[in-house]
Amino acid sequence: MKKHILGISFVLVATFISFMSVAKAEEFHWGFKPSRNGEPVEIGEPLESMLSKYGAIYKGNEEKKIVYLTFDNGYENGYTESILNTLREEKAPATFFLTGHYLTSATDLVKTMVKDGHIIGNHSYGHPNMARLSAEEMKKEWKRFDDKLNELTGVKRTYYARPPEGIFNEEVLKVGNEVGYRHMFWSIAFKDWLKDERRGAKYAYDALMNQLHPGAIILMHTVAQDNAEAIPQFIKDAKAQGYTFGSLDDLVLEYEKISPY
């Protein structure tokens, strides 16, 4: 009998350890089939339900020709000022998801973003794989970023988070909610994060225009010269097609069915 009980206990413990390993290892790498011909992006289940559960967003209203510009900034490469100038000239709002390194190494540019009315998003302080952190470690990453942002710019805190490299799990979304963050993903992206891989402005322009669809959240990286050169024409041509550019604040108000008035 003792041997039988010990055997059952061993199986239960082994099963529990196996389950915990799978649960801890579970992580999602954000990705989707790119939009074509203005069709909205779909990510399918179980991600649709998971994001909805925690108010995470990756696109806006599919019936409205509004798009949302977002940029991920881990380090500066000399092109952000040009992008900011374009956004100012075109009166296009954007959200910049920054890391701690960017805050401390490009503080003047961060202050310009804030002065120009752009939103600062939390891309974590140290750019780790958030899905492999404990809940407390996640909170420390976000808070350390917010504390430094407040110290350098006076902005009290961020409310939108984006996981480094688009890697996350349900716990990241859950813990984020607990401390006041809504995760923002994207529905348009292309390979533009390698600073030394020059493909030309046409490459970036075509990637944006070919994927353009109503409600799109666009992800770009400011390290790319291609982007800095393509954005002015992209914004003009998107406007010519009837698109307008909104902020993530506008998107959240619509998502929550809250009137701005």
Side-chain angles (χ1 to χ4, degrees):
M1 176 64 79
K2 286 182 179 179
K3 288 182 179 179
H4 182 63
I5 293 173
L6 286 172
I8 293 175
S9 299
F10 176 78
V11 170
L12 289 174
V13 169
T15 301
F16 177 74
I17 291 173
S18 176
F19 171 78
M20 290 300 293
S21 297
V22 170
K24 192 168 184 180
E26 182 184 31
E27 58 185 47
F28 299 96
H29 294 240
W30 187 256
F32 48 84
K33 183 179 179 180
S35 172
R36 288 290 181 268
N37 302 315
E39 292 296 320
V41 165
E42 302 293 344
I43 57 172
E45 297 294 348
L47 289 180
E48 287 280 5
S49 294
M50 184 186 298
L51 265 62
S52 178
K53 180 178 179 180
Y54 298 101
I57 301 175
Y58 72 97
K59 63 180 177 181
N61 192 324
E62 300 172 2
E63 304 300 320
K64 295 183 179 181
K65 297 182 87 171
I66 305 174
V67 294
Y68 308 89
L69 292 171
T70 71
F71 298 88
D72 286 3
N73 296 54
Y75 58 92
E76 180 52 34
N77 195 36
Y79 303 112
T80 305
E81 185 175 3
S82 171
I83 291 171
L84 287 169
N85 289 341
T86 297
L87 297 177
R88 194 179 306 116
E89 291 167 7
E90 294 294 337
K91 296 181 173 56
T95 298
F96 290 87
F97 287 91
L98 311 178
T99 62
H101 177 270
Y102 196 90
L103 283 179
T104 55
S105 64
T107 305
D108 287 345
L109 287 170
V110 178
K111 289 180 178 179
T112 299
M113 295 169 189
V114 173
K115 180 182 176 182
D116 285 357
H118 299 300
I119 297 170
I120 304 300
N122 197 321
H123 201 37
S124 80
Y125 192 89
H127 207 262
N129 181 331
M130 298 294 284
R132 298 182 185 178
L133 301 184
S134 67
E136 287 308 310
E137 288 170 334
M138 292 177 201
K139 293 175 185 177
K140 286 179 182 178
E141 277 289 325
W142 292 319
K143 186 176 186 306
R144 188 180 178 194
F145 178 90
D146 281 349
D147 288 347
K148 181 57 69 172
L149 178 67
N150 179 247
E151 174 191 328
L152 296 174
T153 70
V155 174
K156 187 175 180 180
R157 61 160 293 173
T158 57
Y159 293 93
Y160 305 135
R162 175 171 285 168
E165 299 183 20
I167 302 174
F168 70 104
N169 58 17
E170 186 169 2
E171 185 74 358
V172 172
L173 305 181
K174 175 177 177 291
V175 176
N177 278 184
E178 289 172 358
V179 286
Y181 300 101
R182 181 190 296 267
H183 273 80
M184 292 291 188
F185 293 90
W186 57 90
S187 62
I188 292 180
F190 55 99
K191 189 176 181 181
D192 67 338
W193 55 86
L194 299 176
K195 65 176 182 177
D196 298 322
E197 188 172 297
R198 187 87 161 85
R199 299 190 181 189
K202 187 177 186 303
Y203 162 76
Y205 173 86
D206 288 346
L208 291 166
M209 292 301 292
N210 290 340
Q211 296 184 65
L212 188 60
H213 65 88
I217 298 179
I218 300 172
L219 164 63
M220 286 182 279
H221 294 81
T222 64
V223 296
Q225 183 178 349
D226 297 347
N227 289 345
E229 293 176 355
I231 288 171
Q233 195 62 50
F234 163 69
I235 292 177
K236 287 181 173 64
D237 289 353
K239 287 179 177 179
Q241 290 189 18
Y243 282 90
T244 59
F245 290 80
S247 76
L248 292 189
D249 284 346
D250 299 329
L251 175 56
V252 169
L253 287 173
E254 182 171 30
Y255 181 87
E256 296 294 345
K257 297 179 173 58
I258 299 172
S259 169
Y261 306 105

